[in-house]
Amino acid sequence: MLSQWEDKNRLPQYAALKEDMQTEVLVIGGGMTGILCAHFLREAGVGCALVEAGRICQGTTGHTTAKITAQHGLIYDKLISSWGEELADMYLRANCQAVEKYRELCERIDCGFENQDNYVYSKNAQRKLEQELGALEKLRYRASFADALGLPFPVVGAVRFPDQAQFDPIAFVRGILPGLHIYENTCIVSVKNQEALTREGVAISAEKIIFATHFPIVNTHGFYFMKMYQQRSYVLSLEGAQQVQGMFVDEAQNGLSFRNAQGLLLLGGGGHKTGKSGGGWQKLREFAGKYYPNARERYAWAAQDCMTLDGIPYIGRYSGRRQEWFAATGFNKWGMSSAMAAAQLLRDYVLERENPFAPVFSPARRMKKKQLAANMLEAAADMMVFSTKRCPHMGCALKWNDAEHSWDCPCHGSRFAQEGQLLENPAIGDSRGKWARRAQEEKQAE
């Protein structure tokens, strides 16, 4: 389904790469992160080419709710508890800087940029809000408590971040595309050393390679498949619903989010781990029917997000053995500010200059063994399930997603259309041929 942004905007089309190429930096992935990386590298005078397996911005970027904020749930109390004030402060300042960079760029781009306060609310956990405000006071950030939110249900309060923002992400991307070297329908199927190979056998040599592929596609370095999982989330765009003053998200994992866009109300929620069951659009429609009975549904879409086990993105060197590869992943549903922070950080890595925020996002940071073990055991259990539909990424059994009519991988989040076409990575190829052969073999065996 087209999102509101995709329906109202059309991005230019780019040709596929047809012959071997050399470049200083290769960016793999044409979402917000990859395009911002290419933009900042071009500004710095670095030769850069961007390749995208399909069309640019048709993945998570085209399906975001497009809130630009440094408030990522009630994260700062958790960060201080787990990592200390210094790293928590780095995380906060990196995202505040990202918000300001969008504000600067959007001064010359017609993309519906609006300053808005952001609120993380709670229906019943006022103590959590108080703890978060205490953490932010330690970090010397001017957050405040709010209790009159104008939402259609009672809350105990919210933590307010002033002067955050919202925009139309596709219109923004259209404004920064001029001058970038982009190749669409150019799917990378292998990367060895400093050479990437496309599905058609075209080779791209690069001094440095940035993986902005949502979920990293190379398993033999970095072991990102052990340290992340993916989640689906859903959005309804409603006409005739009560508008809200600001951007709102529930601190509870299964809560809802609200924000206005182009005269419509965006209602988000119903999320679940990819390959598992969840509320989906049905939960949102039930809520809308109860609280906005006269509203009309204009758009409905879904998005997929990479989730890290500790709540912090991985931005930096891909692995210790690949110093000229760089990754940006695991944005934990906060893709807009994270994409901007990642692009500026990776630009500095490429230019070999120090960035003060690098330590908090390092992919080499330590992980809690219990978190890793739990994530790996769940994936291992899914690998053992009998199914004729299996993911080509690492062989997990696929689960049918009845709401979206897709086959989804509960291990690492790859998704396939009913006939096997790839919808979401980290898998890098379709399953159409394999499924057709298996169906034929089963038919012959009957």
Side-chain angles (χ1 to χ4, degrees), residues 65-78:
T65 53
K67 298 187 288 286
I68 306 171
T69 177
Q71 189 181 26
H72 299 169
L74 302 181
I75 192 174
Y76 292 102
D77 181 56
K78 296 174 184 176

Side-chain angles (χ1 to χ4, degrees), residues 129-143:
L129 302 178
E130 293 169 350
Q131 290 173 329
E132 184 74 355
L133 286 166
L136 290 162
E137 185 176 357
K138 292 178 183 178
L139 300 176
R140 300 167 301 282
Y141 184 79
R142 57 189 182 97

Side-chain angles (χ1 to χ4, degrees), residues 418-437:
Q418 191 166 357
E419 300 303 320
Q421 301 96 322
L422 180 66
L423 300 174
E424 303 272 0
N425 72 341
I428 56 175
D430 287 356
S431 290
R432 283 175 290 187
K434 293 180 181 179
W435 291 2
R437 287 194 300 272

Side-chain angles (χ1 to χ4, degrees), residues 46-352:
V46 177
C48 176
L50 183 150
V51 296
E52 162 58 40
R55 294 289 317 282
I56 59 172
C57 295
Q58 285 195 338
T60 302
T61 298
H63 297 87
T64 177
T65 53
K67 298 187 288 286
I68 306 171
T69 177
Q71 189 181 26
H72 299 169
L74 302 181
I75 192 174
Y76 292 102
D77 181 56
K78 296 174 184 176
L79 289 180
I80 290 175
S81 298
S82 299
W83 300 98
E85 289 185 27
E86 183 179 4
L87 289 181
D89 185 63
M90 286 183 193
Y91 186 95
L92 176 60
R93 289 188 294 119
N95 283 283
C96 286
Q97 184 182 91
V99 174
E100 293 307 313
K101 190 62 180 180
Y102 275 116
R103 184 170 282 118
E104 175 191 325
L105 291 174
C106 291
E107 287 180 357
R108 60 178 187 269
I109 299 174
D110 182 11
C111 59
F113 184 90
E114 298 176 309
N115 292 311
Q116 293 283 356
D117 293 348
N118 195 77
Y119 300 82
V120 176
Y121 67 87
S122 179
K123 292 183 176 181
N124 52 25
Q126 186 166 345
R127 178 61 179 158
K128 286 185 178 180
L129 302 178
E130 293 169 350
Q131 290 173 329
E132 184 74 355
L133 286 166
L136 290 162
E137 185 176 357
K138 292 178 183 178
L139 300 176
R140 300 167 301 282
Y141 184 79
R142 57 189 182 97
S144 61
F145 179 80
D147 56 6
L149 305 184
L151 295 176
F153 48 81
V155 300
V156 297
V159 177
R160 168 181 168 269
F161 269 38
D163 300 324
Q164 307 300 290
Q166 59 188 30
F167 71 159
D168 180 329
I170 302 300
F172 170 79
V173 166
R174 188 175 57 200
I176 63 170
L177 285 176
L180 303 185
H181 298 290
I182 295 174
Y183 300 91
E184 293 183 320
N185 299 306
T186 302
C187 180
I188 301 298
V189 295
S190 70
V191 185
K192 295 181 180 179
N193 300 319
Q194 301 314 116
E195 184 176 270
L197 193 68
T198 73
R199 182 176 291 146
E200 290 73 25
V202 177
I204 308 170
S205 298
E207 297 172 19
K208 295 180 171 67
I209 299 175
I210 292 174
F211 291 81
T213 54
H214 187 62
F215 200 114
I217 59 174
V218 177
N219 290 328
T220 52
H221 301 282
F223 300 104
Y224 294 95
F225 65 91
M226 295 169 55
K227 303 185 291 187
M228 294 197 303
Y229 60 96
Q230 299 203 63
Q231 281 195 347
R232 302 293 291 166
S233 58
Y234 301 83
V235 182
L236 295 183
S237 182
L238 303 174
E239 182 178 47
Q242 179 185 353
Q243 298 288 285
V244 294
Q245 302 302 314
M247 306 179 297
F248 302 85
V249 65
D250 197 335
E251 57 83 20
Q253 187 173 5
N254 61 348
L256 302 176
S257 72
F258 306 80
R259 77 102 149 170
N260 300 332
Q262 301 162 342
L264 305 176
L265 176 70
L266 301 191
L267 173 64
H272 57 85
K273 184 177 179 181
T274 304
K276 306 293 185 180
S277 59
W281 290 300
Q282 183 60 32
K283 175 180 178 179
L284 300 181
R285 287 171 177 141
E286 289 173 358
F287 179 91
K290 179 179 179 180
Y291 290 100
Y292 308 117
N294 299 318
R296 182 169 71 93
E297 184 179 310
R298 288 284 304 277
Y299 300 94
W301 70 87
Q304 183 143 305
D305 296 284
C306 291
M307 313 296 289
T308 63
L309 301 182
D310 61 6
I312 304 173
Y314 291 115
I315 306 168
R317 298 193 189 280
Y318 201 97
S319 73
R321 293 186 178 183
R322 286 291 175 262
Q323 294 292 297
E324 304 307 317
W325 292 7
F326 305 96
T329 188
F331 292 170
N332 300 292
K333 299 188 179 182
W334 302 104
M336 294 299 97
S337 60
S338 297
M340 182 64 77
Q344 294 181 94
L345 178 54
L346 294 183
R347 171 202 58 200
D348 291 345
Y349 270 110
V350 168
L351 297 176
E352 298 182 354

